[in-house]
Amino acid sequence: RIEDIIAREILDSRGSPTVEVEVFLVDGTRARAAVPSGASTGSKEAVELRDGDAHRYGGKGVEKVIRNIEEIIAPDLQDLDVREQKAIDDTLIGLDGTENKSRLGANALLGVSMACARAAADYSDLPLYAYLGGPGATRLPVPCFNVLNGGVHAHWQGADFQECMLVPYGAGNFREALRWGAEIYHALQSVLLGKHLSVGIGDEGGFAPMVSSNHESYDLLLDAIRKAGFEPGRDAGIAIDPASSEFFKDGTYQLRTEKRAISSAEMVAYYEEIVRNYPVVLLEDGLAENDWESWKLLNERLGGVIELVGDDIFCTNPKIIARAMEDNIANATLIKLNQIGTVTETITATRLAQYHGWGAFVSHRSGETTDDFIADLTVALDTGHLKSGAPARGERVAKYNQLLRIEEELGTAASFAGKHAFCRPIR
Ligand code: PGA
Ligand code: ZN
């Protein structure tokens, strides 16, 4: 049973404040969780509450959220059985009372929800992935390494496209996939140095060079894959998250690097060309969140061949995902805990996707902490793939390192998603 819940303001990987929650059980168990924060957010995300006091952290303080947790949430959850995750999350949702979690803040709800899940796992003497996923939770995901950062994560005149990910699906297990990822990441550094391009890194640990087109990133990555001794297509492929809502303005996609603005249909043709020429396995947010109708065309053209993931457009929201299924506009959803605000709703969104043959792609945020909850979540929900940035920067590798531990602990029971990680077969 829950005895007490406390919260504190800590820093995330961008040096901005975020929420950390600690749950204490009457038997002495204590568990902790920290909440991440995005930069290219969807407009329908659950609300991340900030103090707005310009004298502290430029208005980004979370003292109000801390008070909401300690003064409103903690008294109400006292004495509840911490294993009753759904009852806890329903209580949190009820206490907040708004559709978008704006009263107490999704960052308040999620911190408590995650810390309770972890406390329940500890209390049950189970690792988190086994507690949440049961005895069948034995498959390790293919890590999608965001090795080239652009857009709002680069803070620089880099690529328009936010993320160019390396996907080592040909590896035999997770440990090997991580090694391939790191080796190719380092090869990419020397490819960039050889071309006198910047090796400064972005928010998610990837390099953020000034490129003159978006597909130049893919050429650089293919060079790096070969340089590290691997074969593009056979051993590793590419996943793309342009985060296109960020450059969709006045009804057109504004490609700064290429000095042109193109229509939705032209954008779809642009992707078709990329998919024809490169070993792309996944495209996330290819079109903007308020370009819903054009997503149908994108799905018609590419949905049969690659995984088309909705991030900003679905916001891990089961209601929006269900509508997207009816309209047949994609074949996968991104899964971000803080977009929806509780562990239970995150599981519901993932199950909804999986029951309908959709992919579910677990994701970190660009503002992260060293909390490794999503590593366990990915294995628990058997999503087959996750993205947690480059194989560099402590808050990014914290998740990958936890997956190494899980694979080790599972021993011979462990399997690796490999080429079956996606909702469409590798071409
Ligand atoms: P964000 O970016 O965490 O800044 O929203 C991640 C993504 O777009 O997938
Ligand atoms: Zn995204």
Side-chain angles (χ1 to χ4, degrees), residues 162-163 241 243 284-285 311-312 334 336 387:
Q162 184 178 280
E163 307 177 12
D241 178 9
E284 172 187 330
D285 278 359
D311 170 14
D312 291 351
L334 206 70
K336 286 171 169 166
K387 63 170 187 173

Side-chain angles (χ1 to χ4, degrees), residues 166 180 182-195 219-232 235:
L166 160 68
W180 289 16
E183 289 174 3
I184 295 167
Y185 178 74
H186 291 122
L188 179 58
Q189 185 175 43
S190 43
V191 167
L192 292 171
L193 286 171
K195 294 186 185 304
D219 292 322
L220 293 166
L221 182 51
L222 294 192
D223 278 358
I225 292 172
R226 289 190 196 100
K227 195 178 169 82
F230 300 99
E231 172 83 24
D235 301 324

